[in-house]
Amino acid sequence: MPSPIDLRNPSRPIHVGVVLLNSTTEMLDIAPVGFFSSISRSFLKDFPASLCPDELKAQAPDFVFHWITETGETPASLTGSMSVVPTHSFITCPQLDIILLGAAQFSYRASETELAFLRKTHESCAALLCVCGGFEPVLSAGLLEGKTATAPRQLLPMLRGTAPGTNWVDKRYVNDGKVWTTGVLLNGLDMVVAFARSVWGGKGLVEMAAAFGNWPERDVEYRDDDAKSH
């Protein structure tokens, strides 16, 4: 099923959902959701024109943010002894347009209920953004079969053997269809700006927000990191 929303020209608020599994989620994996907030109409409306001209404010989308767990009741656990009070359960959350999924604990394997929810939301969303180990439940749900994806660099040799149905490449982030995957946790920051440029790109609001927030712009092939190691 194609997404019912055109993210570039939405006719309604864009629903962004952070999906939190029944585990502990790496807080830096889900930090990239902040980029959507930084380009939102509600965030920019009070900026002076010297920082954000009216013509850029006019480009700002409306976003609604949702924090989703299976039951929607118990606070979700994040690393650093943090927690998030969910706004919705798998049953009560609205249709999601952009989904962000971070890494759970290394030994955690998503339940069939969680996998079913990911399959359902992937079918109707516009984009599924997986950061670091967030690829694993998406892989288990069968959503990376036949796709090109990436993962933490240290895991790629193993994944090429255990999940040969996916073309695993060594990059900071990869997009194939609706699905975006990244290397390790901070590559989510690289990825979300690349995603925003692909949707709302050009010399406009996204570029202003990326520069104002000093979001990273690193080589997708890791050439900058590899050069440092030699």
Side-chain angles (χ1 to χ4, degrees):
M1 177 190 299
S3 169
I5 192 170
D6 177 359
L7 293 177
R8 183 177 290 273
N9 298 293
S11 58
R12 58 167 175 77
I14 297 169
H15 290 266
V16 178
V18 180
V19 177
L20 301 158
L21 303 183
N22 292 317
S23 179
T24 297
T25 300
E26 169 55 63
M27 64 177 176
L28 288 175
D29 284 1
I30 59 175
V33 74
F35 190 83
F36 300 119
S37 177
S38 72
I39 62 170
S40 68
R41 188 169 301 173
S42 61
F43 182 75
L44 294 172
K45 64 182 176 62
D46 295 327
F47 271 48
S50 59
L51 293 180
C52 185
D54 289 343
E55 59 267 27
L56 292 187
K57 290 181 183 179
Q59 299 174 17
D62 280 325
F63 292 100
V64 181
F65 296 94
H66 308 281
W67 298 80
I68 303 134
T69 63
E70 181 176 347
T71 66
E73 297 173 355
T74 305
S77 174
L78 304 182
T79 55
S81 299
M82 295 180 68
S83 61
V84 172
V85 177
T87 59
H88 293 85
S89 70
F90 288 176
I91 294 174
T92 64
C93 82
Q95 180 169 307
L96 302 175
D97 302 311
I98 299 173
I99 302 163
L100 181 65
L101 183 66
Q105 290 174 296
F106 195 83
S107 61
Y108 184 75
R109 295 296 175 263
S111 68
E112 186 50 47
T113 300
E114 291 169 326
L115 297 179
F117 179 74
L118 290 175
R119 295 184 192 107
K120 174 186 173 183
T121 53
H122 168 266
E123 186 177 3
S124 58
C125 76
L128 173 55
L129 312 180
C130 314
V131 179
C132 193
F135 80 88
E136 200 284 325
V138 177
L139 175 66
S140 295
L143 301 176
L144 294 184
E145 188 68 23
K147 292 188 175 295
T148 297
T150 193
R153 302 181 84 180
Q154 297 88 340
L155 301 181
L156 291 173
M158 176 192 71
L159 289 167
R160 288 173 180 137
T162 59
T166 300
N167 176 34
W168 298 101
V169 295
D170 186 20
K171 294 187 177 184
R172 290 192 191 277
Y173 56 85
V174 172
N175 170 224
D176 190 339
K178 295 181 179 183
V179 181
W180 291 68
T181 50
T182 80
V184 290
L185 67 173
L186 292 179
N187 294 147
L189 304 177
D190 303 281
M191 177 265 289
V192 75
V193 178
F195 168 75
R197 284 175 170 144
S198 75
V199 176
W200 304 286
K203 295 186 181 298
L205 179 63
V206 168
E207 295 307 323
M208 183 278 293
F212 189 84
N214 198 24
W215 285 71
E217 186 170 355
R218 299 181 291 182
D219 186 80
V220 69
E221 305 281 353
Y222 290 112
R223 283 180 289 242
D224 45 1
D225 271 9
D226 292 341
K228 295 175 186 176
S229 64
H230 295 306

PDB file of all heavy atoms in Angstrom, residues 1-15 94-99 120-127 178:
ATOM      1  N   MET A   1       0.850  -1.192   0.000  1.00  0.00           N
ATOM      2  CA  MET A   1       0.000   0.000   0.000  1.00  0.00           C
ATOM      3  C   MET A   1       0.886   1.243   0.000  1.00  0.00           C
ATOM      4  O   MET A   1       1.732   1.408   0.871  1.00  0.00           O
ATOM      5  CB  MET A   1      -0.892   0.014   1.241  1.00  0.00           C
ATOM      6  CG  MET A   1      -1.752   1.272   1.360  1.00  0.00           C
ATOM      7  SD  MET A   1      -2.569   1.389   2.981  1.00  0.00           S
ATOM      8  CE  MET A   1      -3.563  -0.089   2.960  1.00  0.00           C
ATOM      9  N   PRO A   2       0.717   2.168  -0.990  1.00  0.00           N
ATOM     10  CA  PRO A   2       1.513   3.395  -0.980  1.00  0.00           C
ATOM     11  C   PRO A   2       1.087   4.306   0.153  1.00  0.00           C
ATOM     12  O   PRO A   2      -0.037   4.233   0.648  1.00  0.00           O
ATOM     13  CB  PRO A   2       1.190   4.012  -2.347  1.00  0.00           C
ATOM     14  CG  PRO A   2      -0.163   3.476  -2.699  1.00  0.00           C
ATOM     15  CD  PRO A   2      -0.206   2.089  -2.122  1.00  0.00           C
ATOM     16  N   SER A   3       2.005   5.182   0.570  1.00  0.00           N
ATOM     17  CA  SER A   3       1.666   6.133   1.618  1.00  0.00           C
ATOM     18  C   SER A   3       0.590   7.084   1.119  1.00  0.00           C
ATOM     19  O   SER A   3       0.635   7.547  -0.022  1.00  0.00           O
ATOM     20  CB  SER A   3       2.905   6.926   2.040  1.00  0.00           C
ATOM     21  OG  SER A   3       2.533   8.006   2.862  1.00  0.00           O
ATOM     22  N   PRO A   4      -0.397   7.401   1.958  1.00  0.00           N
ATOM     23  CA  PRO A   4      -1.464   8.321   1.531  1.00  0.00           C
ATOM     24  C   PRO A   4      -1.069   9.786   1.641  1.00  0.00           C
ATOM     25  O   PRO A   4      -1.872  10.661   1.352  1.00  0.00           O
ATOM     26  CB  PRO A   4      -2.591   7.988   2.506  1.00  0.00           C
ATOM     27  CG  PRO A   4      -1.884   7.581   3.756  1.00  0.00           C
ATOM     28  CD  PRO A   4      -0.646   6.858   3.288  1.00  0.00           C
ATOM     29  N   ILE A   5       0.171  10.075   2.052  1.00  0.00           N
ATOM     30  CA  ILE A   5       0.591  11.467   2.236  1.00  0.00           C
ATOM     31  C   ILE A   5       1.795  11.771   1.364  1.00  0.00           C
ATOM     32  O   ILE A   5       2.680  10.931   1.177  1.00  0.00           O
ATOM     33  CB  ILE A   5       0.910  11.753   3.723  1.00  0.00           C
ATOM     34  CG1 ILE A   5       1.072  13.261   3.970  1.00  0.00           C
ATOM     35  CG2 ILE A   5       2.149  10.984   4.177  1.00  0.00           C
ATOM     36  CD1 ILE A   5       1.159  13.635   5.433  1.00  0.00           C
ATOM     37  N   ASP A   6       1.795  12.964   0.801  1.00  0.00           N
ATOM     38  CA  ASP A   6       2.956  13.486   0.091  1.00  0.00           C
ATOM     39  C   ASP A   6       3.693  14.363   1.088  1.00  0.00           C
ATOM     40  O   ASP A   6       3.236  15.463   1.413  1.00  0.00           O
ATOM     41  CB  ASP A   6       2.491  14.286  -1.125  1.00  0.00           C
ATOM     42  CG  ASP A   6       3.649  14.932  -1.888  1.00  0.00           C
ATOM     43  OD1 ASP A   6       4.817  14.776  -1.457  1.00  0.00           O
ATOM     44  OD2 ASP A   6       3.378  15.595  -2.901  1.00  0.00           O
ATOM     45  N   LEU A   7       4.818  13.897   1.594  1.00  0.00           N
ATOM     46  CA  LEU A   7       5.525  14.637   2.637  1.00  0.00           C
ATOM     47  C   LEU A   7       5.964  16.021   2.169  1.00  0.00           C
ATOM     48  O   LEU A   7       6.040  16.958   2.962  1.00  0.00           O
ATOM     49  CB  LEU A   7       6.740  13.850   3.117  1.00  0.00           C
ATOM     50  CG  LEU A   7       6.465  12.549   3.863  1.00  0.00           C
ATOM     51  CD1 LEU A   7       7.783  11.852   4.206  1.00  0.00           C
ATOM     52  CD2 LEU A   7       5.656  12.788   5.128  1.00  0.00           C
ATOM     53  N   ARG A   8       6.256  16.152   0.895  1.00  0.00           N
ATOM     54  CA  ARG A   8       6.700  17.453   0.376  1.00  0.00           C
ATOM     55  C   ARG A   8       5.553  18.457   0.352  1.00  0.00           C
ATOM     56  O   ARG A   8       5.752  19.651   0.596  1.00  0.00           O
ATOM     57  CB  ARG A   8       7.298  17.281  -1.024  1.00  0.00           C
ATOM     58  CG  ARG A   8       7.853  18.575  -1.612  1.00  0.00           C
ATOM     59  CD  ARG A   8       8.497  18.321  -2.972  1.00  0.00           C
ATOM     60  NE  ARG A   8       9.721  17.566  -2.847  1.00  0.00           N
ATOM     61  CZ  ARG A   8      10.919  18.115  -2.624  1.00  0.00           C
ATOM     62  NH1 ARG A   8      11.033  19.419  -2.475  1.00  0.00           N
ATOM     63  NH2 ARG A   8      11.991  17.366  -2.550  1.00  0.00           N
ATOM     64  N   ASN A   9       4.357  17.978   0.040  1.00  0.00           N
ATOM     65  CA  ASN A   9       3.184  18.854  -0.028  1.00  0.00           C
ATOM     66  C   ASN A   9       2.034  18.228   0.761  1.00  0.00           C
ATOM     67  O   ASN A   9       1.015  17.828   0.183  1.00  0.00           O
ATOM     68  CB  ASN A   9       2.765  19.079  -1.485  1.00  0.00           C
ATOM     69  CG  ASN A   9       3.839  19.776  -2.286  1.00  0.00           C
ATOM     70  OD1 ASN A   9       4.148  20.934  -2.033  1.00  0.00           O
ATOM     71  ND2 ASN A   9       4.408  19.063  -3.251  1.00  0.00           N
ATOM     72  N   PRO A  10       2.163  18.139   2.072  1.00  0.00           N
ATOM     73  CA  PRO A  10       1.120  17.488   2.862  1.00  0.00           C
ATOM     74  C   PRO A  10      -0.117  18.373   2.974  1.00  0.00           C
ATOM     75  O   PRO A  10      -0.032  19.599   3.019  1.00  0.00           O
ATOM     76  CB  PRO A  10       1.785  17.311   4.238  1.00  0.00           C
ATOM     77  CG  PRO A  10       2.767  18.438   4.316  1.00  0.00           C
ATOM     78  CD  PRO A  10       3.289  18.618   2.915  1.00  0.00           C
ATOM     79  N   SER A  11      -1.254  17.736   3.012  1.00  0.00           N
ATOM     80  CA  SER A  11      -2.514  18.475   3.168  1.00  0.00           C
ATOM     81  C   SER A  11      -2.995  18.451   4.610  1.00  0.00           C
ATOM     82  O   SER A  11      -4.099  18.912   4.904  1.00  0.00           O
ATOM     83  CB  SER A  11      -3.586  17.859   2.259  1.00  0.00           C
ATOM     84  OG  SER A  11      -3.765  16.487   2.577  1.00  0.00           O
ATOM     85  N   ARG A  12      -2.171  17.928   5.491  1.00  0.00           N
ATOM     86  CA  ARG A  12      -2.510  17.789   6.909  1.00  0.00           C
ATOM     87  C   ARG A  12      -1.211  17.700   7.698  1.00  0.00           C
ATOM     88  O   ARG A  12      -0.125  17.584   7.112  1.00  0.00           O
ATOM     89  CB  ARG A  12      -3.368  16.538   7.133  1.00  0.00           C
ATOM     90  CG  ARG A  12      -2.685  15.249   6.675  1.00  0.00           C
ATOM     91  CD  ARG A  12      -3.402  14.032   7.180  1.00  0.00           C
ATOM     92  NE  ARG A  12      -2.857  12.784   6.676  1.00  0.00           N
ATOM     93  CZ  ARG A  12      -1.752  12.203   7.099  1.00  0.00           C
ATOM     94  NH1 ARG A  12      -1.014  12.773   8.038  1.00  0.00           N
ATOM     95  NH2 ARG A  12      -1.348  11.044   6.589  1.00  0.00           N
ATOM     96  N   PRO A  13      -1.282  17.742   9.048  1.00  0.00           N
ATOM     97  CA  PRO A  13      -0.064  17.534   9.836  1.00  0.00           C
ATOM     98  C   PRO A  13       0.578  16.175   9.550  1.00  0.00           C
ATOM     99  O   PRO A  13      -0.123  15.196   9.263  1.00  0.00           O
ATOM    100  CB  PRO A  13      -0.570  17.622  11.281  1.00  0.00           C
ATOM    101  CG  PRO A  13      -1.803  18.443  11.202  1.00  0.00           C
ATOM    102  CD  PRO A  13      -2.436  18.094   9.885  1.00  0.00           C
ATOM    103  N   ILE A  14       1.888  16.144   9.618  1.00  0.00           N
ATOM    104  CA  ILE A  14       2.653  14.915   9.413  1.00  0.00           C
ATOM    105  C   ILE A  14       2.820  14.226  10.762  1.00  0.00           C
ATOM    106  O   ILE A  14       3.301  14.833  11.724  1.00  0.00           O
ATOM    107  CB  ILE A  14       4.031  15.232   8.802  1.00  0.00           C
ATOM    108  CG1 ILE A  14       3.866  15.866   7.418  1.00  0.00           C
ATOM    109  CG2 ILE A  14       4.901  13.974   8.718  1.00  0.00           C
ATOM    110  CD1 ILE A  14       5.153  16.456   6.856  1.00  0.00           C
ATOM    111  N   HIS A  15       2.445  12.957  10.821  1.00  0.00           N
ATOM    112  CA  HIS A  15       2.510  12.206  12.073  1.00  0.00           C
ATOM    113  C   HIS A  15       3.832  11.446  12.148  1.00  0.00           C
ATOM    114  O   HIS A  15       4.104  10.561  11.337  1.00  0.00           O
ATOM    115  CB  HIS A  15       1.325  11.240  12.179  1.00  0.00           C
ATOM    116  CG  HIS A  15       0.024  11.949  12.385  1.00  0.00           C
ATOM    117  ND1 HIS A  15      -0.512  12.165  13.633  1.00  0.00           N
ATOM    118  CD2 HIS A  15      -0.836  12.516  11.493  1.00  0.00           C
ATOM    119  CE1 HIS A  15      -1.653  12.819  13.516  1.00  0.00           C
ATOM    120  NE2 HIS A  15      -1.876  13.054  12.228  1.00  0.00           N
ATOM    121  N   PRO A  94      -2.414   6.721  15.887  1.00  0.00           N
ATOM    122  CA  PRO A  94      -2.955   7.010  14.559  1.00  0.00           C
ATOM    123  C   PRO A  94      -2.031   6.461  13.485  1.00  0.00           C
ATOM    124  O   PRO A  94      -0.946   5.957  13.780  1.00  0.00           O
ATOM    125  CB  PRO A  94      -2.998   8.540  14.532  1.00  0.00           C
ATOM    126  CG  PRO A  94      -1.857   8.937  15.423  1.00  0.00           C
ATOM    127  CD  PRO A  94      -1.827   7.908  16.525  1.00  0.00           C
ATOM    128  N   GLN A  95      -2.456   6.587  12.253  1.00  0.00           N
ATOM    129  CA  GLN A  95      -1.588   6.180  11.157  1.00  0.00           C
ATOM    130  C   GLN A  95      -0.332   7.040  11.175  1.00  0.00           C
ATOM    131  O   GLN A  95      -0.411   8.266  11.279  1.00  0.00           O
ATOM    132  CB  GLN A  95      -2.303   6.341   9.814  1.00  0.00           C
ATOM    133  CG  GLN A  95      -1.439   5.926   8.635  1.00  0.00           C
ATOM    134  CD  GLN A  95      -2.233   5.848   7.359  1.00  0.00           C
ATOM    135  OE1 GLN A  95      -3.258   5.186   7.293  1.00  0.00           O
ATOM    136  NE2 GLN A  95      -1.759   6.543   6.342  1.00  0.00           N
ATOM    137  N   LEU A  96       0.821   6.394  11.081  1.00  0.00           N
ATOM    138  CA  LEU A  96       2.101   7.099  11.159  1.00  0.00           C
ATOM    139  C   LEU A  96       2.655   7.347   9.762  1.00  0.00           C
ATOM    140  O   LEU A  96       2.626   6.459   8.902  1.00  0.00           O
ATOM    141  CB  LEU A  96       3.094   6.276  11.976  1.00  0.00           C
ATOM    142  CG  LEU A  96       2.662   5.951  13.413  1.00  0.00           C
ATOM    143  CD1 LEU A  96       3.679   5.033  14.073  1.00  0.00           C
ATOM    144  CD2 LEU A  96       2.476   7.230  14.226  1.00  0.00           C
ATOM    145  N   ASP A  97       3.176   8.551   9.566  1.00  0.00           N
ATOM    146  CA  ASP A  97       3.761   8.910   8.271  1.00  0.00           C
ATOM    147  C   ASP A  97       5.266   8.687   8.259  1.00  0.00           C
ATOM    148  O   ASP A  97       5.826   8.225   7.268  1.00  0.00           O
ATOM    149  CB  ASP A  97       3.462  10.373   7.953  1.00  0.00           C
ATOM    150  CG  ASP A  97       1.973  10.655   7.937  1.00  0.00           C
ATOM    151  OD1 ASP A  97       1.243   9.893   7.289  1.00  0.00           O
ATOM    152  OD2 ASP A  97       1.538  11.628   8.582  1.00  0.00           O
ATOM    153  N   ILE A  98       5.937   9.035   9.362  1.00  0.00           N
ATOM    154  CA  ILE A  98       7.378   8.821   9.524  1.00  0.00           C
ATOM    155  C   ILE A  98       7.578   8.049  10.823  1.00  0.00           C
ATOM    156  O   ILE A  98       7.057   8.455  11.867  1.00  0.00           O
ATOM    157  CB  ILE A  98       8.151  10.145   9.581  1.00  0.00           C
ATOM    158  CG1 ILE A  98       7.956  10.938   8.290  1.00  0.00           C
ATOM    159  CG2 ILE A  98       9.640   9.887   9.825  1.00  0.00           C
ATOM    160  CD1 ILE A  98       8.544  12.344   8.336  1.00  0.00           C
ATOM    161  N   ILE A  99       8.310   6.954  10.759  1.00  0.00           N
ATOM    162  CA  ILE A  99       8.556   6.115  11.935  1.00  0.00           C
ATOM    163  C   ILE A  99      10.052   6.126  12.227  1.00  0.00           C
ATOM    164  O   ILE A  99      10.879   5.970  11.319  1.00  0.00           O
ATOM    165  CB  ILE A  99       8.086   4.669  11.686  1.00  0.00           C
ATOM    166  CG1 ILE A  99       6.602   4.637  11.330  1.00  0.00           C
ATOM    167  CG2 ILE A  99       8.357   3.792  12.909  1.00  0.00           C
ATOM    168  CD1 ILE A  99       6.158   3.340  10.694  1.00  0.00           C
ATOM    169  N   LYS A 120       2.692  -3.687   9.760  1.00  0.00           N
ATOM    170  CA  LYS A 120       1.474  -2.902   9.497  1.00  0.00           C
ATOM    171  C   LYS A 120       1.803  -1.439   9.249  1.00  0.00           C
ATOM    172  O   LYS A 120       1.310  -0.840   8.279  1.00  0.00           O
ATOM    173  CB  LYS A 120       0.526  -3.037  10.683  1.00  0.00           C
ATOM    174  CG  LYS A 120      -0.715  -2.163  10.597  1.00  0.00           C
ATOM    175  CD  LYS A 120      -1.526  -2.258  11.883  1.00  0.00           C
ATOM    176  CE  LYS A 120      -2.687  -1.259  11.872  1.00  0.00           C
ATOM    177  NZ  LYS A 120      -3.448  -1.293  13.148  1.00  0.00           N
ATOM    178  N   THR A 121       2.631  -0.849  10.099  1.00  0.00           N
ATOM    179  CA  THR A 121       2.932   0.568   9.950  1.00  0.00           C
ATOM    180  C   THR A 121       3.817   0.829   8.735  1.00  0.00           C
ATOM    181  O   THR A 121       3.671   1.855   8.062  1.00  0.00           O
ATOM    182  CB  THR A 121       3.602   1.124  11.219  1.00  0.00           C
ATOM    183  OG1 THR A 121       4.730   0.320  11.563  1.00  0.00           O
ATOM    184  CG2 THR A 121       2.628   1.141  12.380  1.00  0.00           C
ATOM    185  N   HIS A 122       4.712  -0.102   8.429  1.00  0.00           N
ATOM    186  CA  HIS A 122       5.550   0.048   7.236  1.00  0.00           C
ATOM    187  C   HIS A 122       4.684   0.088   5.985  1.00  0.00           C
ATOM    188  O   HIS A 122       4.961   0.838   5.039  1.00  0.00           O
ATOM    189  CB  HIS A 122       6.557  -1.104   7.145  1.00  0.00           C
ATOM    190  CG  HIS A 122       7.255  -1.189   5.825  1.00  0.00           C
ATOM    191  ND1 HIS A 122       6.803  -1.993   4.785  1.00  0.00           N
ATOM    192  CD2 HIS A 122       8.371  -0.562   5.342  1.00  0.00           C
ATOM    193  CE1 HIS A 122       7.597  -1.868   3.755  1.00  0.00           C
ATOM    194  NE2 HIS A 122       8.554  -1.010   4.058  1.00  0.00           N
ATOM    195  N   GLU A 123       3.628  -0.667   5.966  1.00  0.00           N
ATOM    196  CA  GLU A 123       2.776  -0.747   4.776  1.00  0.00           C
ATOM    197  C   GLU A 123       2.145   0.603   4.443  1.00  0.00           C
ATOM    198  O   GLU A 123       1.995   0.947   3.268  1.00  0.00           O
ATOM    199  CB  GLU A 123       1.679  -1.793   4.990  1.00  0.00           C
ATOM    200  CG  GLU A 123       0.830  -2.052   3.766  1.00  0.00           C
ATOM    201  CD  GLU A 123      -0.193  -3.140   3.995  1.00  0.00           C
ATOM    202  OE1 GLU A 123      -0.299  -3.659   5.114  1.00  0.00           O
ATOM    203  OE2 GLU A 123      -0.911  -3.464   3.014  1.00  0.00           O
ATOM    204  N   SER A 124       1.793   1.365   5.463  1.00  0.00           N
ATOM    205  CA  SER A 124       1.053   2.608   5.223  1.00  0.00           C
ATOM    206  C   SER A 124       1.851   3.881   5.472  1.00  0.00           C
ATOM    207  O   SER A 124       1.336   4.973   5.239  1.00  0.00           O
ATOM    208  CB  SER A 124      -0.204   2.639   6.105  1.00  0.00           C
ATOM    209  OG  SER A 124       0.132   2.529   7.480  1.00  0.00           O
ATOM    210  N   CYS A 125       3.095   3.773   5.929  1.00  0.00           N
ATOM    211  CA  CYS A 125       3.881   4.971   6.219  1.00  0.00           C
ATOM    212  C   CYS A 125       4.574   5.487   4.961  1.00  0.00           C
ATOM    213  O   CYS A 125       4.588   4.830   3.919  1.00  0.00           O
ATOM    214  CB  CYS A 125       4.914   4.703   7.310  1.00  0.00           C
ATOM    215  SG  CYS A 125       6.367   3.754   6.763  1.00  0.00           S
ATOM    216  N   ALA A 126       5.164   6.673   5.086  1.00  0.00           N
ATOM    217  CA  ALA A 126       5.976   7.222   4.001  1.00  0.00           C
ATOM    218  C   ALA A 126       7.452   6.886   4.178  1.00  0.00           C
ATOM    219  O   ALA A 126       8.188   6.801   3.198  1.00  0.00           O
ATOM    220  CB  ALA A 126       5.799   8.736   3.921  1.00  0.00           C
ATOM    221  N   ALA A 127       7.892   6.704   5.438  1.00  0.00           N
ATOM    222  CA  ALA A 127       9.310   6.432   5.688  1.00  0.00           C
ATOM    223  C   ALA A 127       9.474   5.729   7.024  1.00  0.00           C
ATOM    224  O   ALA A 127       8.831   6.087   8.013  1.00  0.00           O
ATOM    225  CB  ALA A 127      10.110   7.728   5.692  1.00  0.00           C
ATOM    226  N   LYS A 178      11.026   2.815   1.180  1.00  0.00           N
ATOM    227  CA  LYS A 178      10.605   3.552   2.373  1.00  0.00           C
ATOM    228  C   LYS A 178      11.615   3.454   3.512  1.00  0.00           C
ATOM    229  O   LYS A 178      11.551   4.238   4.464  1.00  0.00           O
ATOM    230  CB  LYS A 178       9.269   3.000   2.895  1.00  0.00           C
ATOM    231  CG  LYS A 178       8.087   3.179   1.992  1.00  0.00           C
ATOM    232  CD  LYS A 178       6.846   2.596   2.674  1.00  0.00           C
ATOM    233  CE  LYS A 178       5.618   2.760   1.819  1.00  0.00           C
ATOM    234  NZ  LYS A 178       4.402   2.261   2.493  1.00  0.00           N
TER     235      LYS A 178
END
